[in-house]
Amino acid sequence: MVQNKKWSPEEKYELVARVIAGDTITSVAYTVGINSGLLAQWIRKYKIWGYNGLVGRRKGRKPKESAMKKMNINNPRKLNESEYEELIRLRAEITYIKAENEAIKKEIALREEREAALLKAKKQQSSKNSKKKDIC
């Protein structure tokens, strides 16, 4: 059994092609000395992604970008005039939207209270009507 051999995409393709041509997975895997599960995995990847599925991919976490340095929170860069104006405009817009949301929430709460009061009144009315029918 071959252990820790790095298989090139060309070698993998040759084995996959033999299986696609009609050989069994176990016979091809046995002649080469690999696990049949590994060969089946290569075949599945080939069927999904084609030849690119046989090309090895790097595993694990991507390395940190050297260009992505930590931001200096204590000394932020100075804003130019247009950025400063946009910041002021956006802050005012956020304040307006928050106030608008609060008004909408209050309106919804009032509407729900009214609907609950109407429902309660209808229930009381229907219970009074049923009592009158019982008396008659």
Side-chain angles (χ1 to χ4, degrees):
M1 193 141 200
V2 180
Q3 291 185 354
N4 298 331
K5 180 182 183 221
K6 294 283 185 181
W7 292 87
S8 69
E10 293 82 19
E11 293 171 323
K12 291 178 185 178
Y13 177 73
E14 287 176 21
L15 299 176
V16 169
R18 283 175 52 187
V19 172
I20 291 174
D23 292 348
T24 64
I25 294 175
T26 52
S27 65
V28 173
Y30 183 75
T31 56
V32 184
I34 62 171
N35 190 331
S36 60
L38 179 62
L39 182 57
Q41 203 174 50
W42 292 346
I43 294 168
R44 187 171 9 92
K45 286 181 180 180
Y46 178 77
K47 287 180 179 178
I48 295 172
W49 294 297
Y51 185 80
N52 290 335
L54 302 176
V55 177
R57 295 187 182 151
R58 294 186 74 189
K59 295 180 181 171
R61 187 177 188 173
K62 293 183 179 178
K64 287 185 178 180
E65 294 279 335
S66 59
M68 296 279 293
K69 295 182 179 175
K70 287 185 177 179
M71 289 181 59
N72 190 352
I73 299 171
N74 297 330
N75 297 323
R77 71 173 181 85
K78 299 287 183 191
L79 298 177
N80 62 33
E81 193 172 332
S82 63
E83 290 174 327
Y84 187 71
E85 290 171 357
E86 184 179 11
L87 178 65
I88 292 170
R89 181 186 63 78
L90 290 173
R91 284 181 177 166
E93 190 175 332
I94 288 171
T95 305
Y96 175 79
I97 291 172
K98 283 182 178 178
E100 198 174 49
N101 282 344
E102 288 300 317
I104 291 170
K105 286 178 186 177
K106 286 180 183 177
E107 184 180 333
I108 290 171
L110 287 173
R111 189 177 305 143
E112 288 175 351
E113 282 180 26
R114 275 190 237 125
E115 288 176 6
L118 285 172
L119 186 63
K120 187 177 181 182
K122 284 182 182 178
K123 283 184 180 178
Q124 287 176 349
Q125 188 67 30
S126 66
S127 68
K128 285 181 184 177
N129 289 341
S130 66
K131 285 181 184 177
K132 285 181 183 178
K133 288 182 184 177
D134 290 341
I135 295 172
C136 296

XYZ file of all heavy atoms in Angstrom, residues 35-123:
737
model
N -6.474 3.186 -1.245
C -7.777 2.837 -0.702
C -8.842 3.098 -1.767
O -8.816 4.122 -2.452
C -8.036 3.692 0.541
C -9.246 3.240 1.318
O -10.185 2.698 0.749
N -9.212 3.470 2.618
N -9.802 2.199 -1.880
C -10.856 2.373 -2.883
C -11.726 3.589 -2.571
O -12.273 4.216 -3.476
C -11.716 1.122 -2.982
O -12.326 0.848 -1.739
N -11.832 3.942 -1.293
C -12.594 5.137 -0.908
C -11.960 6.402 -1.443
O -12.650 7.336 -1.855
N -10.634 6.434 -1.448
C -9.926 7.594 -1.973
C -10.173 7.728 -3.467
O -10.448 8.825 -3.974
C -8.423 7.473 -1.693
C -7.535 8.595 -2.207
C -7.903 9.919 -1.551
C -6.077 8.269 -1.956
N -10.113 6.624 -4.183
C -10.369 6.650 -5.617
C -11.815 7.057 -5.901
O -12.079 7.839 -6.820
C -10.061 5.284 -6.237
C -10.229 5.174 -7.748
C -9.379 6.193 -8.474
C -9.879 3.770 -8.217
N -12.736 6.566 -5.098
C -14.145 6.945 -5.265
C -14.324 8.446 -5.042
O -15.121 9.099 -5.731
C -15.015 6.157 -4.296
N -13.570 8.973 -4.112
C -13.622 10.411 -3.838
C -13.132 11.209 -5.049
O -13.738 12.210 -5.437
C -12.740 10.698 -2.624
C -13.068 11.946 -1.866
C -12.221 12.012 -0.605
O -11.002 11.844 -0.657
N -12.846 12.270 0.523
N -12.035 10.750 -5.652
C -11.512 11.417 -6.848
C -12.522 11.361 -7.983
O -12.697 12.335 -8.708
C -10.200 10.768 -7.298
C -9.050 10.968 -6.365
C -8.969 11.862 -5.340
C -7.816 10.254 -6.373
N -7.755 11.747 -4.696
C -7.032 10.767 -5.320
C -7.302 9.231 -7.151
C -5.750 10.298 -5.041
C -6.033 8.761 -6.874
C -5.272 9.284 -5.835
N -13.195 10.222 -8.134
C -14.196 10.078 -9.197
C -15.349 11.041 -8.971
O -15.819 11.708 -9.898
C -14.697 8.616 -9.266
C -13.560 7.700 -9.712
C -15.889 8.490 -10.200
C -13.843 6.226 -9.538
N -15.822 11.130 -7.718
C -16.918 12.047 -7.399
C -16.519 13.491 -7.701
O -17.278 14.245 -8.313
C -17.310 11.899 -5.925
C -18.542 12.683 -5.555
C -19.093 12.400 -4.153
N -18.290 11.580 -3.272
C -17.399 12.065 -2.400
N -17.181 13.351 -2.309
N -16.728 11.248 -1.608
N -15.318 13.870 -7.284
C -14.852 15.241 -7.551
C -14.731 15.485 -9.049
O -15.059 16.570 -9.533
C -13.505 15.483 -6.865
C -13.606 15.642 -5.370
C -12.249 15.895 -4.743
C -12.338 16.055 -3.249
N -11.030 16.304 -2.634
N -14.261 14.481 -9.788
C -14.122 14.633 -11.244
C -15.488 14.820 -11.895
O -15.650 15.634 -12.797
C -13.413 13.420 -11.842
C -13.282 13.507 -13.338
C -12.321 14.328 -13.923
C -14.120 12.782 -14.167
C -12.203 14.417 -15.299
C -14.011 12.864 -15.543
C -13.049 13.682 -16.108
O -12.937 13.781 -17.470
N -16.490 14.074 -11.421
C -17.827 14.188 -12.000
C -18.460 15.538 -11.700
O -19.241 16.056 -12.490
C -18.722 13.057 -11.491
C -18.384 11.715 -12.101
C -19.291 10.627 -11.582
C -18.970 9.285 -12.226
N -19.817 8.206 -11.696
N -18.134 16.101 -10.562
C -18.719 17.395 -10.183
C -17.973 18.560 -10.832
O -18.573 19.427 -11.465
C -18.721 17.561 -8.642
C -19.635 16.515 -8.009
C -19.169 18.959 -8.242
C -19.563 16.449 -6.496
N -16.638 18.607 -10.679
C -15.856 19.765 -11.108
C -14.965 19.496 -12.318
O -14.208 20.376 -12.727
C -14.981 20.274 -9.964
C -15.759 20.831 -8.824
C -16.577 21.921 -8.836
C -15.797 20.329 -7.494
N -17.125 22.121 -7.599
C -16.658 21.150 -6.749
C -15.196 19.255 -6.852
C -16.929 20.952 -5.407
C -15.467 19.048 -5.515
C -16.325 19.891 -4.813
N -14.988 18.302 -12.824
C -14.129 17.985 -13.956
C -12.686 17.851 -13.510
O -12.394 17.488 -12.376
N -11.762 18.157 -14.433
C -10.341 18.020 -14.138
C -9.926 18.890 -12.959
O -9.049 18.517 -12.174
C -9.524 18.367 -15.389
C -8.048 18.145 -15.233
C -7.506 16.873 -15.348
C -7.188 19.202 -14.951
C -6.152 16.656 -15.198
C -5.831 18.993 -14.789
C -5.321 17.724 -14.914
O -3.980 17.500 -14.760
N -10.552 20.061 -12.805
C -10.211 20.967 -11.703
C -10.484 20.337 -10.339
O -9.881 20.723 -9.342
C -10.989 22.278 -11.818
C -10.514 23.110 -12.980
O -9.377 22.977 -13.419
N -11.395 23.956 -13.504
N -11.395 19.385 -10.281
C -11.676 18.700 -9.026
C -10.518 17.826 -8.570
O -10.408 17.488 -7.401
N -9.653 17.443 -9.501
C -8.514 16.600 -9.162
C -7.292 17.405 -8.729
O -6.331 16.850 -8.219
C -8.143 15.713 -10.362
C -9.268 14.803 -10.860
C -8.819 14.054 -12.096
C -9.707 13.846 -9.783
N -7.329 18.702 -8.955
C -6.219 19.566 -8.551
C -6.327 19.808 -7.056
O -7.397 20.148 -6.546
C -6.267 20.908 -9.318
C -5.170 21.842 -8.843
C -6.163 20.660 -10.812
N -5.226 19.614 -6.347
C -5.228 19.788 -4.897
C -5.488 21.219 -4.501
O -5.026 22.159 -5.142
N -6.235 21.376 -3.436
C -6.520 22.712 -2.917
C -5.845 22.861 -1.573
O -5.705 21.907 -0.820
C -8.020 22.902 -2.737
C -8.757 22.876 -4.045
C -10.204 23.225 -3.831
N -10.909 23.146 -5.102
C -12.165 22.847 -5.226
N -12.880 22.590 -4.165
N -12.740 22.809 -6.396
N -5.457 24.073 -1.275
C -4.849 24.326 0.024
C -5.910 24.213 1.090
O -7.034 24.663 0.924
C -4.224 25.715 0.057
C -3.042 25.827 -0.901
C -2.362 27.141 -0.759
N -1.606 27.118 0.501
C -1.026 28.165 1.017
N -1.084 29.314 0.418
N -0.352 28.065 2.145
N -5.541 23.618 2.198
C -6.479 23.438 3.289
C -6.086 24.331 4.441
O -4.950 24.763 4.556
C -6.478 21.978 3.746
C -6.990 21.039 2.688
C -6.962 19.623 3.174
C -7.450 18.692 2.082
N -7.260 17.310 2.416
N -7.035 24.583 5.290
C -6.756 25.349 6.497
C -7.067 26.821 6.338
O -7.667 27.273 5.377
N -6.608 27.561 7.296
C -6.893 28.979 7.358
C -6.013 29.742 6.385
O -4.827 29.450 6.233
C -6.631 29.446 8.783
C -7.030 30.840 9.067
C -6.769 31.127 10.520
N -7.322 32.402 10.882
C -7.366 32.865 12.101
N -6.861 32.141 13.071
N -7.884 34.024 12.367
N -6.580 30.757 5.762
C -5.806 31.583 4.849
C -4.832 32.439 5.653
O -5.147 32.883 6.755
C -6.722 32.484 4.027
C -7.584 31.709 3.068
C -8.420 32.636 2.229
C -9.253 31.833 1.253
N -10.120 32.674 0.441
N -3.657 32.680 5.091
C -2.693 33.511 5.828
C -3.175 34.953 5.933
O -3.938 35.425 5.089
C -1.421 33.412 4.980
C -1.881 33.028 3.628
C -3.127 32.231 3.809
N -2.704 35.623 6.981
C -3.077 37.019 7.171
C -2.465 37.873 6.073
O -1.341 37.654 5.650
C -2.588 37.529 8.526
C -3.353 37.009 9.694
C -2.872 37.667 10.965
C -3.650 37.204 12.161
N -3.186 37.839 13.397
N -3.218 38.853 5.647
C -2.720 39.797 4.652
C -1.800 40.793 5.354
O -2.163 41.365 6.372
C -3.884 40.545 4.010
C -4.799 39.681 3.173
C -4.226 39.432 1.794
O -3.434 40.246 1.322
O -4.576 38.390 1.214
N -0.641 40.992 4.791
C 0.265 41.958 5.405
C -0.258 43.376 5.198
O 0.028 44.283 5.974
C 1.666 41.823 4.815
O 1.622 42.039 3.414
N -1.050 43.570 4.133
C -1.605 44.898 3.874
C -2.696 45.244 4.887
O -2.989 46.415 5.116
C -2.172 44.958 2.463
N -3.287 44.212 5.474
C -4.360 44.439 6.432
C -3.756 44.598 7.828
O -3.707 43.658 8.607
C -5.337 43.265 6.432
C -6.069 43.058 5.139
S -7.464 44.154 4.965
C -8.518 43.558 6.245
N -3.287 45.754 8.128
C -2.709 46.008 9.439
C -3.796 46.471 10.394
O -4.859 46.934 9.977
C -1.631 47.076 9.329
C -0.441 46.620 8.503
C 0.620 47.678 8.442
C 1.794 47.172 7.626
N 2.800 48.197 7.423
N -3.530 46.342 11.674
C -4.504 46.791 12.652
C -4.692 48.291 12.541
O -3.742 49.038 12.346
C -4.034 46.455 14.067
C -4.111 45.002 14.407
C -3.743 44.788 15.859
C -3.875 43.349 16.240
N -3.495 43.120 17.632
N -5.965 48.693 12.666
C -6.243 50.118 12.633
C -5.804 50.738 13.958
O -5.991 50.141 15.017
C -7.725 50.378 12.418
C -8.205 50.047 11.033
S -9.949 50.408 10.812
C -9.998 52.140 11.153
N -5.248 51.899 13.875
C -4.843 52.603 15.080
C -6.060 53.366 15.598
O -6.403 54.422 15.098
C -3.676 53.546 14.770
C -3.056 54.108 16.024
O -3.585 53.921 17.123
N -1.949 54.786 15.879
N -6.720 52.806 16.598
C -7.958 53.389 17.111
C -7.673 54.694 17.852
O -8.467 55.626 17.821
C -8.679 52.381 18.026
C -9.029 51.139 17.218
C -9.918 52.974 18.642
C -9.542 49.993 18.039
N -6.532 54.782 18.485
C -6.227 55.968 19.284
C -5.926 57.188 18.417
O -6.181 58.304 18.824
C -5.041 55.688 20.204
C -5.352 54.601 21.198
O -6.495 54.430 21.591
N -4.341 53.846 21.587
N -5.386 56.971 17.239
C -5.053 58.081 16.354
C -5.686 57.876 14.974
O -5.005 57.541 14.011
C -3.533 58.206 16.186
C -2.846 58.513 17.496
O -3.375 59.248 18.311
N -1.668 57.938 17.703
N -7.011 58.080 14.860
C -7.628 57.895 13.551
C -7.190 58.987 12.582
O -6.784 60.074 12.998
C -9.125 57.986 13.848
C -9.211 58.801 15.088
C -7.970 58.500 15.858
N -7.279 58.687 11.304
C -6.868 59.687 10.316
C -7.883 60.819 10.276
O -9.053 60.640 10.611
C -6.721 59.059 8.940
C -8.016 58.672 8.278
C -7.754 58.208 6.845
N -8.982 57.853 6.185
C -9.783 58.704 5.565
N -9.478 59.983 5.518
N -10.888 58.291 4.987
N -7.444 61.987 9.895
C -8.307 63.164 9.828
C -9.216 63.053 8.610
O -8.795 62.596 7.545
C -7.467 64.443 9.720
C -6.553 64.680 10.898
C -7.347 65.094 12.099
C -6.405 65.394 13.264
N -7.115 65.551 14.499
N -10.461 63.464 8.790
C -11.406 63.455 7.674
C -11.224 64.706 6.845
O -10.972 65.792 7.376
C -12.838 63.418 8.210
C -13.237 62.200 9.049
C -14.664 62.375 9.558
C -13.116 60.934 8.241
N -11.380 64.546 5.521
C -11.363 65.760 4.707
C -12.743 66.404 4.780
O -13.684 65.859 5.360
C -10.911 65.471 3.266
C -11.833 64.520 2.541
O -13.023 64.518 2.781
N -11.273 63.719 1.655
N -12.891 67.561 4.195
C -14.107 68.359 4.375
C -15.360 67.644 3.867
O -16.396 67.629 4.533
C -13.949 69.704 3.654
C -15.006 70.713 4.030
C -14.708 72.087 3.438
O -13.529 72.397 3.221
O -15.672 72.819 3.223
N -15.290 66.997 2.702
C -16.472 66.330 2.148
C -16.867 65.119 3.011
O -18.054 64.860 3.215
C -16.220 65.892 0.709
O -15.173 64.928 0.662
N -15.888 64.398 3.532
C -16.186 63.264 4.401
C -16.834 63.736 5.705
O -17.764 63.111 6.211
C -14.918 62.475 4.716
C -14.349 61.711 3.548
C -13.007 61.065 3.859
O -12.232 61.647 4.652
O -12.741 59.995 3.298
N -16.347 64.854 6.231
C -16.897 65.400 7.465
C -18.339 65.841 7.253
O -19.208 65.573 8.087
C -16.033 66.576 7.938
C -16.419 67.092 9.297
C -16.168 66.341 10.442
C -17.057 68.315 9.432
C -16.540 66.804 11.688
C -17.430 68.790 10.675
C -17.170 68.028 11.804
O -17.547 68.491 13.040
N -18.624 66.489 6.105
C -19.986 66.917 5.801
C -20.916 65.715 5.648
O -22.046 65.722 6.123
C -20.005 67.757 4.519
C -19.368 69.117 4.690
C -19.205 69.860 3.366
O -19.535 69.285 2.307
O -18.741 71.004 3.408
N -20.412 64.665 5.001
C -21.225 63.459 4.827
C -21.498 62.800 6.177
O -22.606 62.318 6.436
C -20.537 62.470 3.890
C -21.382 61.245 3.599
C -20.721 60.272 2.648
O -19.523 60.413 2.363
O -21.430 59.356 2.201
N -20.509 62.799 7.063
C -20.682 62.229 8.393
C -21.778 62.972 9.152
O -22.659 62.352 9.759
C -19.358 62.292 9.166
C -19.377 61.778 10.591
C -19.659 60.287 10.618
C -18.053 62.075 11.276
N -21.767 64.288 9.098
C -22.788 65.099 9.773
C -24.165 64.801 9.180
O -25.150 64.611 9.909
C -22.448 66.596 9.667
C -21.194 66.888 10.500
C -23.614 67.465 10.119
C -20.629 68.271 10.290
N -24.252 64.725 7.839
C -25.522 64.452 7.165
C -26.058 63.073 7.554
O -27.241 62.920 7.867
C -25.339 64.533 5.645
C -26.620 64.294 4.856
C -26.368 64.238 3.356
N -25.501 63.144 2.952
C -25.891 61.868 2.838
N -27.116 61.526 3.137
N -25.044 60.936 2.453
N -25.180 62.077 7.584
C -25.608 60.716 7.920
C -26.057 60.612 9.368
O -27.025 59.914 9.688
C -24.491 59.721 7.625
C -24.193 59.487 6.149
C -22.945 58.618 5.996
C -25.366 58.866 5.442
N -25.380 61.295 10.269
C -25.791 61.284 11.667
C -27.174 61.908 11.839
O -28.002 61.413 12.605
C -24.764 61.999 12.533
C -23.523 61.183 12.778
C -22.538 61.895 13.662
N -21.387 61.048 13.939
C -20.259 61.472 14.454
N -20.112 62.748 14.784
N -19.255 60.644 14.675
N -27.428 63.012 11.110
C -28.743 63.656 11.183
C -29.814 62.725 10.609
O -30.918 62.612 11.159
C -28.722 64.974 10.412
N -29.490 62.026 9.530
C -30.432 61.095 8.915
C -30.756 59.941 9.863
O -31.913 59.526 9.995
C -29.838 60.556 7.606
C -30.801 59.764 6.762
C -30.187 59.372 5.432
O -29.295 60.081 4.925
O -30.613 58.331 4.900
N -29.745 59.441 10.558
C -29.963 58.353 11.528
C -30.872 58.823 12.654
O -31.794 58.116 13.073
C -28.611 57.838 12.078
C -27.875 57.049 10.992
C -28.815 56.987 13.323
C -26.455 56.674 11.358
N -30.653 60.030 13.148
C -31.480 60.582 14.216
C -32.931 60.691 13.761
O -33.862 60.325 14.495
C -30.949 61.961 14.650
O -29.575 61.839 15.018
C -31.735 62.531 15.810
N -33.138 61.167 12.527
C -34.484 61.307 11.975
C -35.161 59.935 11.848
O -36.317 59.757 12.235
C -34.419 62.001 10.612
C -35.756 62.084 9.922
C -36.694 63.043 10.287
C -36.094 61.188 8.912
C -37.926 63.117 9.662
C -37.324 61.245 8.285
C -38.236 62.211 8.662
O -39.458 62.275 8.051
N -34.433 58.953 11.350
C -34.999 57.608 11.151
C -35.339 56.963 12.493
O -36.376 56.303 12.631
C -34.032 56.731 10.323
C -33.976 57.239 8.883
C -34.441 55.272 10.364
C -32.917 56.580 8.031
N -34.489 57.170 13.500
C -34.785 56.624 14.828
C -36.062 57.231 15.389
O -36.910 56.523 15.951
C -33.619 56.881 15.788
C -32.441 55.950 15.585
C -31.350 56.235 16.597
C -30.177 55.286 16.433
N -29.091 55.576 17.375
N -36.228 58.557 15.228
C -37.438 59.219 15.720
C -38.665 58.704 14.960
O -39.734 58.469 15.557
C -37.306 60.731 15.563
N -38.509 58.524 13.664
C -39.604 58.018 12.841
C -39.999 56.596 13.281
O -41.190 56.269 13.378
C -39.142 58.011 11.373
C -40.252 57.938 10.360
C -39.708 58.092 8.949
O -38.740 57.405 8.598
O -40.267 58.902 8.200
N -39.020 55.766 13.565
C -39.289 54.399 14.029
C -40.037 54.406 15.356
O -40.956 53.606 15.568
C -37.990 53.603 14.168
C -37.467 53.121 12.844
O -38.176 53.105 11.854
N -36.204 52.724 12.820
N -39.641 55.279 16.273
C -40.322 55.366 17.565
C -41.774 55.768 17.383
O -42.674 55.226 18.039
C -39.600 56.363 18.487
C -38.265 55.874 19.009
C -38.388 54.599 19.811
O -39.324 54.473 20.628
O -37.541 53.704 19.607
N -42.023 56.732 16.476
C -43.402 57.169 16.222
C -44.225 56.021 15.644
O -45.388 55.814 16.035
C -43.406 58.362 15.264
N -43.642 55.252 14.747
C -44.348 54.116 14.147
C -44.651 53.062 15.201
O -45.749 52.505 15.244
C -43.521 53.527 12.979
C -43.488 54.513 11.809
C -44.086 52.191 12.526
C -42.516 54.138 10.712
N -43.690 52.800 16.083
C -43.910 51.817 17.148
C -45.055 52.255 18.062
O -45.898 51.439 18.452
C -42.637 51.633 17.969
C -41.553 50.844 17.273
C -40.323 50.754 18.150
C -39.158 50.101 17.442
N -37.947 50.082 18.264
N -45.112 53.553 18.404
C -46.180 54.056 19.265
C -47.527 53.944 18.562
O -48.534 53.574 19.174
C -45.902 55.503 19.666
C -44.797 55.630 20.688
C -44.535 57.068 21.064
C -43.370 57.153 22.046
N -43.026 58.531 22.380
N -47.548 54.247 17.273
C -48.787 54.160 16.502
C -49.294 52.712 16.457
O -50.481 52.448 16.617
C -48.547 54.674 15.076
C -49.791 54.712 14.219
C -49.499 55.233 12.826
O -48.532 56.007 12.657
O -50.239 54.848 11.905
N -48.384 51.778 16.268
C -48.759 50.359 16.242
C -49.306 49.930 17.604
O -50.313 49.223 17.685
C -47.555 49.492 15.822
C -47.225 49.719 14.346
C -47.825 48.026 16.081
C -45.921 49.076 13.894
N -48.653 50.374 18.684
C -49.107 50.016 20.031
C -50.507 50.571 20.289
O -51.369 49.875 20.847
C -48.117 50.525 21.074
N -50.759 51.821 19.881
C -52.085 52.414 20.069
C -53.138 51.654 19.260
O -54.252 51.403 19.752
C -52.069 53.893 19.659
C -51.357 54.840 20.620
C -51.252 56.237 20.012
C -52.129 54.910 21.943
N -52.813 51.298 18.037
C -53.742 50.560 17.185
C -54.068 49.205 17.811
O -55.232 48.787 17.826
C -53.127 50.368 15.791
C -54.114 49.802 14.795
C -53.532 49.680 13.403
N -52.999 50.949 12.933
C -51.895 51.057 12.190
N -51.216 49.992 11.843
N -51.480 52.239 11.777
N -53.054 48.540 18.352
C -53.292 47.245 19.002
C -54.159 47.396 20.241
O -55.030 46.563 20.514
C -51.957 46.576 19.351
C -51.213 46.043 18.148
C -49.837 45.497 18.487
O -49.375 45.681 19.641
O -49.223 44.888 17.596
N -53.945 48.473 20.998
C -54.774 48.719 22.180
C -56.222 48.941 21.780
O -57.146 48.407 22.410
C -54.267 49.946 22.942
C -53.047 49.692 23.788
C -52.585 50.951 24.520
O -53.417 51.841 24.774
O -51.384 51.033 24.822
N -56.453 49.737 20.722
C -57.814 49.993 20.247
C -58.486 48.696 19.795
O -59.640 48.445 20.101
C -57.800 50.994 19.086
C -57.801 52.429 19.548
C -58.042 53.382 18.391
N -56.910 54.300 18.352
C -56.124 54.530 17.316
N -56.338 53.950 16.171
N -55.121 55.378 17.398
N -57.737 47.881 19.041
C -58.298 46.620 18.557
C -58.627 45.696 19.726
O -59.660 45.019 19.716
C -57.329 45.941 17.593
C -57.232 46.642 16.260
C -56.184 46.017 15.348
O -55.608 44.971 15.708
O -55.944 46.584 14.276
N -57.769 45.675 20.739
C -58.024 44.842 21.913
C -59.265 45.342 22.655
O -60.095 44.537 23.117
C -56.811 44.841 22.835
N -59.430 46.671 22.776
C -60.591 47.233 23.457
C -61.862 46.916 22.673
O -62.900 46.570 23.264
C -60.426 48.749 23.623
N -61.816 47.020 21.335
C -62.985 46.692 20.518
C -63.345 45.217 20.653
O -64.525 44.857 20.765
C -62.719 47.028 19.048
C -62.749 48.508 18.666
C -62.289 48.702 17.234
C -64.158 49.068 18.840
N -62.352 44.362 20.652
C -62.591 42.932 20.791
C -63.221 42.614 22.144
O -64.166 41.821 22.243
C -61.268 42.171 20.621
C -61.357 40.661 20.592
C -62.170 40.195 19.398
C -59.974 40.056 20.554
N -62.720 43.288 23.167
C -63.262 43.080 24.510
C -64.716 43.542 24.574
O -65.577 42.879 25.158
C -62.409 43.843 25.528
C -62.774 43.580 26.959
C -61.834 44.304 27.902
C -62.183 44.024 29.342
N -61.305 44.747 30.267
N -64.989 44.694 23.940
C -66.358 45.217 23.935
C -67.282 44.265 23.180
O -68.426 44.033 23.605
C -66.381 46.603 23.294
N -66.822 43.697 22.071
C -67.645 42.752 21.319
C -67.938 41.503 22.135
O -69.048 40.977 22.107
C -66.948 42.362 20.011
C -67.002 43.419 18.949
C -66.332 42.944 17.671
C -66.335 44.014 16.615
N -65.654 43.575 15.385
N -66.942 41.027 22.873
C -67.146 39.848 23.713
C -68.175 40.131 24.803
O -69.037 39.309 25.097
C -65.824 39.405 24.350
C -64.904 38.667 23.410
C -63.676 38.177 24.143
C -62.743 37.427 23.218
N -61.518 36.983 23.906
